[in-house]
Amino acid sequence: MGERRAVPGALPGAVPGAVLGLLVVLLTGCQGPPPARDDAAGPWPAATAPAAGTAPSGYGTVFLGLDECSSFGTTSFTEVSCGSERAAARVVARHDGTVHDGPLCPATTDFVLHISEQRPSSDEDGDGAVPRGYACMRSLQPPHPGDPGGGGGPRTIVGDCVYGSGDGEVRETRCDGEGERQPEYRVTEAVMHRSQCPPSTALYVRLGGANPVGCARPV
């Protein structure tokens, strides 16, 4: 059975556990709309659909569709059968458009692949187009940087730890202290408004989603 390849972008091999930046609001700061994670930290890896004139022979009607799997590689990602010994990550959500404008990935997503728009002569559904989109990926085996306290993933969630990187920003790090930087704060709650955070809150972290404010305490 043939394979479909995905070419990584600025984060080679999708590097599970990559430490990525998030803006935060200090107790004395102003709160604005949460920034898109890819805008704040640079582009996520890009996935490229089959080239024009190449009939796809993959594992579903959509390239890297929901519940399909990819392998990891140093120069590219390859769509493979989830039963293959080379399968390393599964698509847990798939959306058209861009991460900035589209729905958030599930909370425990490990990394994101961008799908480049192409219009080959033969494509998955026969309409001559592969739309731009993104795939939210979850590794098949641990470690999972997207898990609470895992130190990475495209989202910061309750249970994650961060450290101050200067200029009003924080970055995720592992809560167990095994990361490159020691944790300084842990996100203990996610609420709609800062006023709903407990008095012990020392830092407000922008999370996005239905409860966009993270209440963080010193570790």
Side-chain angles (χ1 to χ4, degrees):
M1 183 174 290
E3 297 177 340
R4 296 181 235 177
R5 293 190 169 274
V7 180
L11 300 180
V15 190
V19 181
L20 301 170
L22 287 175
L23 297 183
V24 300
V25 181
L26 298 177
L27 292 175
T28 57
C30 298
Q31 181 177 344
R37 184 67 174 269
D38 56 339
D39 288 345
W44 290 97
T48 303
T54 302
S57 55
Y59 308 96
T61 59
V62 177
F63 177 58
L64 287 178
L66 182 65
D67 286 332
E68 292 179 349
C69 292
S70 73
S71 65
F72 285 136
T74 57
T75 59
S76 67
F77 296 89
T78 303
E79 185 179 294
V80 298
S81 168
C82 290
S84 168
E85 62 181 12
R86 298 178 57 218
R90 184 186 300 272
V91 179
V92 295
R94 174 73 150 79
H95 303 290
D96 292 339
T98 66
V99 173
H100 180 74
D101 299 320
L104 291 173
C105 283
T108 56
T109 297
D110 286 330
F111 65 96
V112 177
L113 286 176
H114 283 299
I115 311 298
S116 301
E117 181 177 13
Q118 291 197 5
R119 298 187 177 277
S121 57
S122 177
D123 73 331
E124 284 88 346
D125 57 9
D127 67 357
V130 176
R132 184 181 185 184
Y134 56 98
C136 309
M137 309 296 294
R138 173 82 172 171
S139 299
L140 297 180
Q141 301 292 334
H144 293 290
D147 281 352
R155 296 181 57 184
T156 293
I157 58 177
V158 172
D160 278 341
C161 292
V162 298
Y163 67 91
S165 61
D167 299 326
E169 295 185 0
V170 295
R171 295 178 183 272
E172 284 187 40
T173 189
R174 290 175 56 170
C175 287
D176 60 9
E178 297 298 321
E180 292 184 3
R181 296 290 298 269
Q182 292 296 303
E184 297 177 356
Y185 303 91
R186 184 193 296 267
V187 179
T188 58
E189 296 183 45
V191 298
M192 291 188 64
H193 306 288
R194 288 184 294 169
S195 60
Q196 296 172 311
C197 286
S200 59
T201 299
L203 193 73
Y204 297 121
V205 182
R206 295 181 183 177
L207 305 180
N211 293 309
V213 180
C215 315
R217 301 178 183 179
V219 175

